[in-house]
Amino acid sequence: MPSVDWLKSVPIAHRGLHDLNNKRWENTLSAFDAAAGAGFAIECDVHLSADGKAIVFHDGTLDRVTGSKGTIDELTAEQAGKLRVGGTQDHVPTLAQALKLIDGRVPIVIELKGIPGRDEGLVKAVANDLAEYDGLAAIMSFDHHLIRRFGKDAPGIPAGLTAEGLRDEDLEAHFSMLAYGIDFVSYNVRHLENRFVELVRGTMDMPVISWTVRSAAEKAVSDALVDQITFEGFDPRAA
């Protein structure tokens, strides 16, 4: 199992250190540079482009972030890169561009966003971008069909399960993913007290981080139950 103790070291800026999409938007090079400059780790989201590249974008559709119509997977990386984010000077970056900018200054946690039937090759694309990267990096996903490919398509890269839920059926689905050799868990801060988190963090000694912490009060809850926060909208070092 790759060591992922570094996940515990510093708070993780959710989609980079953005300003709630006022002037510095989520998942942009500006947000990543701000996070690295402040010494925060970075969480970002990636989709697969039409030409098989990992591009940094959260939503499946383009409208909220770029004002354009359509879906992100219909675009090539070059086409996506021409779209301005939130009317700013930032454009949709590739993962390779983000990694070049971050350049190992802080850790990065990459969440793979699947679109079933339209994301074949996403795990490999991310692994290829990380193959020559010297900084601390990990991958994770909500999507179980992607996690099942982590071991084959991204061997040796620390891998995690992004999860939420308190119902028995939710927890049993999470337990089933342990068979695929995950190294850490990222769990909804509002759902942290549950037997799945207790098992992986306690019995299995697996790092657990929380998402998305938006206040000092939520940070206090997370700090009491898991190892690190993924945050936005406030300075966790002042909390």
Side-chain angles (χ1 to χ4, degrees):
M1 178 186 296
S3 174
V4 285
D5 282 348
W6 50 266
L7 281 170
K8 306 175 184 180
S9 60
V10 293
I12 305 161
H14 184 235
R15 306 180 195 173
L17 193 60
H18 57 85
D19 61 358
L20 299 179
N21 297 346
N22 181 17
K23 294 181 179 179
R24 188 168 62 238
W25 274 62
E26 66 185 65
N27 278 325
T28 60
L29 296 184
S30 293
F32 300 153
D33 196 44
F40 292 121
I42 293 165
E43 184 267 354
C44 73
D45 307 283
V46 296
H47 276 276
L48 187 69
S49 70
D51 56 342
K53 305 293 184 182
I55 45 181
V56 181
F57 206 79
H58 177 271
D59 300 359
T61 56
L62 300 171
D63 54 335
R64 180 181 68 88
V65 174
T66 71
S68 301
K69 295 182 179 180
T71 61
I72 189 67
D73 65 300
E74 295 172 331
L75 303 179
T76 65
E78 182 178 2
Q79 290 170 331
K82 293 178 180 178
L83 296 178
R84 291 173 61 182
V85 176
T88 69
Q89 295 304 306
D90 273 297
H91 294 257
V92 177
T94 63
L95 177 59
Q97 290 169 335
L99 292 173
K100 183 177 180 181
L101 174 81
I102 297 164
D103 194 27
R105 287 180 288 167
V106 294
I108 181 170
V109 184
I110 303 160
E111 181 171 321
L112 283 69
K113 309 297 284 188
I115 302 177
R118 292 152 55 187
D119 56 22
E120 181 66 31
L122 175 57
V123 179
K124 282 187 177 181
V126 173
N128 288 341
D129 285 341
L130 289 174
E132 303 299 323
Y133 187 64
D134 290 331
L136 294 172
I139 59 177
M140 64 182 182
S141 187
F142 272 106
D143 299 299
H144 292 185
H145 70 283
L146 294 179
I147 292 173
R148 294 185 186 102
R149 300 201 65 89
F150 281 176
K152 179 180 179 181
D153 290 350
I157 298 174
L161 167 69
T162 316
E164 63 182 340
L166 296 171
R167 300 175 304 170
D168 285 343
E169 51 264 47
D170 297 326
L171 302 181
E172 291 305 321
H174 304 336
F175 280 121
S176 72
M177 287 295 99
L178 297 177
Y180 293 91
I182 62 170
D183 306 302
F184 68 97
V185 170
S186 177
Y187 217 89
N188 189 329
V189 67
R190 295 175 177 83
H191 301 161
L192 288 179
E193 290 193 85
N194 65 75
R195 56 191 174 89
F196 176 73
V197 169
E198 290 171 0
L199 174 79
V200 295
R201 186 169 183 257
T203 305
M204 300 181 68
D205 197 27
M206 188 182 294
V208 178
I209 59 179
S210 64
W211 62 269
T212 299
V213 172
R214 296 185 172 93
S215 68
E218 289 185 339
K219 179 180 183 297
V221 171
S222 180
D223 288 348
L225 296 169
V226 297
D227 301 297
Q228 191 52 267
I229 64 169
T230 308
F231 75 95
E232 68 178 16
F234 79 111
D235 184 348
R237 291 174 174 164

